[in-house]
Amino acid sequence: MGELIDVPSPEEQKETIQMQLTKSLVNGETWYLIYSKWMSSFKQFIGLEKTGGSLVSNPGPIDNSSLFDEQGELRKALVDKMDYEVVPTECWNLLVQWYGYNNPQPISRKVITIAPKYLTIEVYPVELKCFKNAESKKHTKLVVSKEDSLTKVNNELKRIFNINQNTNTRLLVAVGEGIPYCPDLDNTVAGSGLLHGSTVIIETAEDGGWPRNRQIKTGSNTNTKNSGNNSSSIYFGPSVGASSSTLSFAGGGRSSRTSTMGTNASTLALRQPGVCGLNNLGNTCFMNSVLQCMSNCPPITEYFLSGKHMLELNETNPLGMKGEIARVYGELIQAMWSGNYATANPLPFKIQVGKFNPTFSGCQQHDSQELLTFLLDGLHEDLNRIKKKPYIEVKDQVGRPDCEVAREAWDNYRKRNDSVIVDTFHGLLKSRVVCPECERVSVTFDPFCYLSLPLPLKKDRVLTVRYIPFDGYKRESSFRVSVPRKGIIRDLCQELSTKVGCSSDQLLVAEIAHCHFHKFYCNEDSLDNIDEKDVIFVYQLPVLPLNVDDEEDIIVPVCFWEKVKPIDRFAQNHLFGVPFLAAIPRRPVSSVELNNILKEKMRRHFVFYNDMDAVNGENTAGSIELAFRRVVH
């Protein structure tokens, strides 16, 4: 402590950070996770995000505590842009230099390549449960990268289990409760469909062969049914192709395969076709939800399972994707409905989608409807049975029956657009326009593939607010306040005023960050920026005098600062508690009078047993050095 850092102005920070945030991912580089709420406060402070006219302040030290669970581990299922943001190393170092960091260790992650031209930040490395031989009850956890090869995993397990590197071994892997199978060691962890918690067994050859009658003893059922000849329930052969450059939709967990080790292989119950999960490739839940919905559209799925899409591929359509989208989607559907897999790997599908629409090529969250729109359009153009679209002249529709006009419009549309997507999803939307001058009525029928329908929303929502009375003797209180969903801060103040018994003009809404005032809201600010899980602080202001004169008090924000050492200079990471507002006269005020004013404002928290006059008779400006005991409410 004690050394001041020359921090650039917010305008200079904005110029520097803007360049940092536009950097592209480079394989092997290190990026850092930052809590999204702190990042939003920082962007508002330097002007990268709009504040709606509200007053903002320094965001304070970077605080990632909300990203950790009670055990100090990174919380599961965090979502990019919603829970956290990622910044490159240079940007992280600048932010730490300017603002500091409150947590013990930063959250650093590597950029990896899990497919050709597909870079992602590996927020969650894969944790495997590893066994030495199938009978072993004790397992070892091994954390690996998605881009690591299974050969590397095999060598690491040899080291962990003290197996000679020259010993002949094989890997058996299983996803979830699926049956273990022998993967291609040239493949990667991601390409093999291994997920967090997947089982990996390393077996050593015995007497020139492999152990039989193996069953993974992990404490859960493996759905194996061994036949009388005690043969193993293991599938042999690569699950994802012959090399790491070949991708497959197999996600592991095969249950319909039988062993080739014995004369009579064991027979396993088939999984229900279509009941198949999709691996999350990193913020791809939006894509998986669309694929699961499409998978459960019977006409479309039956079409692809029958293989008709391969007969109707339109690879010459300039509006299509050379048949690639239809082909890769068909392979995914066939894998999901084969009954062979507990999970499928949609990575090949995502790569093709990103190839033709770069918007979806990264690892960010996207809107599901946008992807569905692209997918339906892409499938339609790839499967359009019309190879050469004719020119069609539109006839005048005035005076003709609607049914005749609709039939003609549909026939004309089908002459240029004919696919299984049109058969299933497309229709006509009737539009009726009346000229305000001549009152001529024009009726048209326009094709559509999807309709956006508004969902009914509740008119009100409930926010939790913490009310801080201006009187230092009154306790703070928490209230749940019902406000209009599209309301403003004034609505919040008016509703709260009825609960606390003061005028809404006396209420000031503030956002507290890191024990200091971060933002003061104006009455006209929208409530949209306040989440229902946020706790908003509302401060009562004193009643202003009717006649404003020179003796009017000014409202001053006051924070609690912990002075660790006598030589310490002010630092934001030494702030604690909830700040308050104090009314200070505009006239010159002595240190004793100022300390008395502040002491009165803290009565709700402390009981002082030494008077200010008893503090050695000293007038130490700007400090309160009292003996007190804390009141626990």
Side-chain angles (χ1 to χ4, degrees):
M1 299 297 301
E3 181 180 353
L4 293 178
I5 299 175
D6 186 16
V7 178
S9 66
E11 292 74 18
E12 293 172 324
Q13 294 182 38
K14 177 181 178 181
E15 183 179 352
T16 302
I17 295 301
Q18 269 184 320
M19 297 177 58
Q20 293 292 327
L21 296 181
T22 57
K23 284 189 173 182
S24 301
L25 298 180
V26 177
N27 188 49
E29 283 190 346
T30 300
W31 287 55
Y32 291 82
L33 275 64
I34 299 179
Y35 182 41
S36 59
K37 196 160 186 178
W38 186 94
M39 200 66 182
S40 178
S41 299
F42 163 69
K43 289 179 179 178
Q44 291 177 8
F45 177 63
I46 65 174
L48 273 178
E49 283 187 4
K50 295 182 179 179
T51 63
S54 304
L55 299 176
V56 296
S57 65
N58 189 301
I62 301 172
D63 187 0
N64 283 341
S65 57
S66 297
L67 300 180
F68 295 97
D69 58 21
E70 296 178 353
Q71 288 72 38
E73 300 292 335
L74 190 66
R75 282 169 43 206
K76 304 299 183 185
L78 294 176
V79 178
D80 187 21
K81 302 298 183 184
M82 293 180 61
D83 299 308
Y84 66 86
E85 293 190 33
V86 289
V87 297
T89 298
E90 185 178 352
C91 179
W92 169 262
N93 291 337
L94 288 173
L95 293 177
V96 172
Q97 179 184 352
W98 296 339
Y99 297 97
Y101 183 59
N102 268 350
N103 307 104
Q105 293 293 333
I107 310 173
S108 60
R109 293 295 186 265
K110 291 287 187 181
V111 179
I112 64 172
T113 303
I114 59 176
K117 299 182 180 180
Y118 184 72
L119 296 176
T120 185
I121 298 174
E122 189 173 34
V123 177
Y124 294 103
V126 179
E127 184 179 284
L128 304 174
K129 295 166 61 176
C130 303
F131 296 82
K132 181 182 179 182
N133 296 322
E135 295 91 349
S136 177
K137 295 181 179 180
K138 184 179 179 181
H139 70 271
T140 298
K141 292 183 179 180
L142 176 64
V143 178
V144 297
S145 171
K146 296 182 180 71
E147 67 175 352
D148 286 343
S149 68
L150 293 186
T151 299
K152 182 177 179 180
V153 174
N154 183 64
N155 293 337
E156 182 64 17
L157 290 181
K158 285 184 177 181
R159 185 191 65 80
I160 292 174
F161 292 120
N162 296 319
I163 301 173
N164 190 292
Q165 290 294 326
N166 297 324
T167 302
N168 190 15
T169 61
R170 70 175 182 183
L171 284 187
L172 303 175
V173 301
V175 180
E177 296 184 354
I179 302 305
Y181 62 94
C182 291
D184 184 352
L185 294 185
D186 290 334
N187 217 331
T188 62
V189 171
S192 302
L194 291 179
L195 308 175
H196 183 86
S198 296
T199 297
V200 177
I201 305 170
I202 183 169
E203 283 195 333
T204 56
E206 296 178 0
D207 300 327
W210 300 108
R212 293 190 177 190
N213 195 22
R214 304 302 195 201
Q215 181 176 353
I216 307 172
K217 298 184 178 180
T218 59
S220 62
N221 295 328
T222 57
N223 295 331
T224 59
K225 297 180 180 180
N226 292 331
S227 58
N229 64 349
N230 294 327
S231 61
S232 170
S233 301
I234 297 174
Y235 169 71
F236 296 91
S239 67
V240 287
S243 67
S244 58
S245 61
T246 303
L247 296 174
S248 169
F249 294 95
R254 304 187 178 212
S255 64
S256 64
R257 304 290 183 171
T258 57
S259 169
T260 59
M261 293 176 59
T263 305
N264 297 316
S266 61
T267 303
L268 303 173
L270 284 170
R271 292 186 182 274
Q272 183 177 346
V275 182
C276 179
L278 293 172
N279 296 348
N280 193 325
L281 306 176
N283 293 325
T284 56
C285 49
F286 77 96
M287 179 186 75
N288 292 353
S289 61
V290 169
L291 292 173
Q292 291 287 9
C293 289
M294 286 288 292
S295 173
N296 285 277
C297 290
I300 302 298
T301 296
E302 292 171 3
Y303 172 84
F304 280 96
L305 291 179
S306 67
K308 291 181 180 179
H309 65 288
M310 298 303 296
L311 303 177
E312 298 183 349
L313 280 181
N314 189 342
E315 299 177 337
T316 61
N317 187 352
L319 300 178
M321 287 80 175
K322 301 179 181 179
E324 294 298 329
I325 294 296
R327 185 181 291 108
V328 74
Y329 177 77
E331 293 173 358
L332 176 58
I333 290 297
Q334 289 173 354
M336 294 175 65
W337 286 82
S338 66
N340 294 338
Y341 309 110
T343 60
N345 186 1
L347 180 58
F349 174 82
K350 188 177 189 308
I351 292 173
Q352 290 298 334
V353 169
K355 174 182 175 182
F356 293 101
N357 190 337
T359 302
F360 301 108
S361 62
C363 56
Q364 287 78 31
Q365 278 279 5
H366 294 284
D367 184 74
S368 293
Q369 184 183 1
E370 293 179 3
L371 176 64
L372 179 60
T373 300
F374 171 79
L375 178 58
L376 290 176
D377 289 346
L379 290 177
H380 162 61
E381 297 297 350
D382 276 359
L383 299 171
N384 197 345
R385 304 178 184 108
I386 307 299
K387 299 296 191 288
K388 186 176 181 180
K389 298 183 178 182
Y391 171 76
I392 299 175
E393 184 177 353
V394 180
K395 298 181 181 179
D396 190 5
Q397 302 160 354
V398 178
R400 301 166 61 192
D402 286 354
C403 60
E404 180 180 335
V405 175
R407 172 54 60 185
E408 182 179 274
W410 183 246
D411 290 342
N412 289 341
Y413 181 70
R414 291 300 296 261
K415 291 177 182 178
R416 296 173 56 87
N417 301 275
D418 185 16
S419 70
V420 66
I421 303 299
V422 174
D423 299 339
T424 308
F425 294 107
H426 289 209
L428 294 177
L429 186 65
K430 178 181 176 181
S431 300
R432 186 175 184 271
V433 179
V434 180
C435 179
E437 296 182 0
C438 66
E439 297 185 353
R440 177 180 176 179
V441 178
S442 174
V443 178
T444 59
F445 291 87
D446 301 311
F448 71 90
C449 182
Y450 27 77
L451 294 175
S452 297
L453 302 177
L455 296 176
L457 297 175
K458 293 182 179 179
K459 296 182 180 179
D460 297 332
R461 63 181 181 135
V462 177
L463 297 178
T464 300
V465 300
R466 191 168 174 182
Y467 173 64
I468 314 294
F470 188 76
D471 187 346
Y473 285 87
K474 294 182 179 180
R475 285 189 174 187
E476 303 172 359
S477 304
S478 293
F479 294 93
R480 290 175 60 81
V481 181
S482 178
V483 295
R485 186 164 291 276
K486 294 296 181 180
I488 57 178
I489 294 295
R490 187 186 304 277
D491 298 324
L492 173 63
C493 293
Q494 290 176 346
E495 181 67 21
L496 182 61
S497 67
T498 62
K499 297 178 179 293
V500 299
C502 72
S503 171
S504 61
D505 294 332
Q506 289 181 255
L507 300 179
L508 177 64
V509 181
E511 180 180 331
I512 307 298
H514 308 292
C515 305
H516 79 286
F517 290 104
H518 171 66
K519 177 191 296 185
F520 290 105
Y521 289 95
C522 303
N523 281 339
E524 303 305 318
D525 283 346
S526 172
L527 293 172
D528 289 342
N529 295 327
I530 301 177
D531 296 330
E532 294 184 9
K533 62 182 179 181
D534 292 342
V535 178
I536 300 301
F537 291 80
V538 181
Y539 289 81
Q540 182 189 20
L541 300 176
V543 178
L544 297 177
L546 296 178
N547 298 320
V548 179
D549 52 29
D550 294 338
E551 295 300 319
E552 178 191 4
D553 293 343
I554 58 174
I555 307 302
V556 177
V558 182
C559 299
F560 293 99
W561 170 42
E562 180 184 12
K563 189 174 182 180
V564 180
K565 300 177 182 178
I567 62 172
D568 277 353
R569 302 175 72 173
F570 174 74
Q572 285 189 335
N573 60 350
H574 279 189
L575 295 177
F576 69 96
V578 177
F580 61 88
L581 300 175
I584 310 296
R586 289 183 180 272
R587 57 178 172 77
V589 179
S590 67
S591 62
V592 173
E593 185 180 0
L594 178 62
N595 282 321
N596 279 329
I597 292 173
L598 298 181
K599 187 173 73 170
E600 289 301 306
K601 300 299 297 181
M602 296 189 292
R603 291 287 187 179
R604 67 170 59 97
H605 299 297
F606 307 108
V607 173
F608 299 87
Y609 56 84
N610 277 353
D611 237 2
M612 281 300 302
D613 297 336
V615 184
N616 300 325
E618 298 179 1
N619 293 334
T620 306
S623 67
I624 299 179
E625 297 180 357
L626 301 172
F628 61 85
R629 63 180 177 85
R630 181 73 180 270
V631 177
V632 179
H633 295 299

